[in-house]
Amino acid sequence: MRIIACLLIACAGMMAHGQQRGPTSNQPNPLDKLAFMEGDWSGKQEFNNQGGPAMVGDASDRIEECIAARYVCEMLSTTLPGGKPTDTRHFISFDKQSSKYTAWWFNDTSTHPTELTGEVAGKKLVLLSGASGPGPVLRATYESPSANTLTFLLEMKQGDNWAKLFLTTYSKKAPAQP
């Protein structure tokens, strides 16, 4: 009976340890490298209209850690003149096995997420979609050229080149005053 009680206590301890929230305190959280992206942002999204008339939308973005500090959640929207706001969510995590960041993009025009992987260098995150997935190969680059500026560039692979789809330039919103 005593052995069974010890086994139950050991199992309970292992289960509790497995439910710890976020990374352990003695290990750095790889998502900390994405801190440059966090905040409330607003700006303009300029589409590459391939020689056609300029197309610019109002863009907003909120980026924050979520789900026990295991993901970064990005909630973004663009409104073109005369159009409705888009509804998009990006979730970014770090895959220890591949040592790469992985993103899943959900939007209001697709029934399946787009999966991308990439790396961080300084204040720049570059993500690529897989060539085997549906649709074109995409490259997304988040970069912070200054403390209150964030850019988001989305490109599509065309042969050996990258064609710019759009560039969004955000400014950090001032914190709300109490």
Side-chain angles (χ1 to χ4, degrees):
M1 185 71 167
R2 193 173 270 167
I3 292 174
I4 292 173
C6 288
L7 285 173
L8 287 174
I9 291 171
C11 286
M14 287 187 288
M15 288 172 44
H17 178 73
Q19 293 181 1
Q20 285 183 356
R21 301 180 69 111
T24 58
S25 60
N26 61 353
Q27 296 176 352
N29 184 348
L31 295 182
D32 290 346
K33 290 183 178 182
L34 303 182
F36 71 90
M37 296 169 53
E38 292 180 9
D40 285 322
W41 304 91
S42 64
K44 297 289 184 184
Q45 189 169 78
E46 298 178 22
F47 292 85
N48 177 7
N49 217 6
Q50 299 185 1
M55 195 163 66
V56 178
D58 292 318
S60 64
D61 200 350
R62 179 179 175 89
I63 303 173
E64 61 192 7
E65 277 191 356
C66 67
I67 311 176
R70 295 182 189 276
Y71 295 88
V72 168
C73 178
E74 179 180 19
M75 298 161 280
L76 59 153
S77 180
T78 300
T79 306
L80 292 171
K84 294 180 182 178
T86 61
D87 185 10
T88 305
R89 302 287 186 281
H90 297 170
F91 289 91
I92 304 170
S93 190
F94 184 76
D95 180 14
K96 290 180 184 176
Q97 290 181 344
S98 68
S99 295
K100 292 193 180 267
Y101 290 84
T102 301
W104 298 270
W105 289 3
F106 300 86
N107 63 56
D108 55 6
T109 60
S110 179
T111 57
H112 298 286
T114 301
E115 186 173 342
L116 303 98
T117 59
E119 298 177 343
V120 171
K123 292 186 175 189
K124 184 177 187 177
L125 170 64
V126 179
L127 300 166
L128 294 171
S129 67
S132 62
V137 175
L138 301 173
R139 178 169 65 186
T141 305
Y142 296 85
E143 190 168 12
S144 180
S146 69
N148 292 317
T149 304
L150 179 69
T151 61
F152 175 55
L153 173 64
L154 186 63
E155 300 167 289
M156 178 177 67
K157 184 124 185 176
Q158 289 185 329
D160 292 334
N161 299 314
W162 291 98
K164 179 172 99 173
L165 297 176
F166 63 77
L167 173 66
T168 310
T169 302
Y170 295 107
S171 295
K172 191 171 268 190
K173 293 180 185 178
Q177 299 298 322

